[in-house]
Amino acid sequence: MDASLAAVFLYSRAVKLPLLPLMIYYFGTAYTLVLCLYLLGFSIMSGVLMRKLEDREMS
């Protein structure tokens, strides 16, 4: 398993599907949606960054 895939997996685990209804109840739909989109976006960005760092170390 690549480090970039591990970074994406670990970062995106912060989105907990069973707790989404409770989060929507307490914080509202808009906040929950924005937070989940940010978490998923930054998880992909961390994976891309890890891939670039891995490629730079190999060179």
Side-chain angles (χ1 to χ4, degrees), residues 29-55:
T29 306
Y31 177 80
T32 304
L33 181 65
V34 168
L35 181 66
C36 289
L37 289 175
Y38 272 123
L39 285 172
L40 292 175
F42 280 112
S43 73
I44 293 170
M45 284 180 19
S46 69
V48 169
L49 180 65
M50 285 300 295
R51 169 103 12 132
K52 287 182 180 183
L53 288 173
E54 268 186 337
D55 290 342

Side-chain angles (χ1 to χ4, degrees), residues 2 7 10 16-18 21-22 31 35-36 53 55 59:
D2 290 338
L10 290 174
K16 309 239 183 298
L17 293 179
L22 186 65
Y31 177 80
L35 181 66
C36 289
L53 288 173
D55 290 342
S59 299

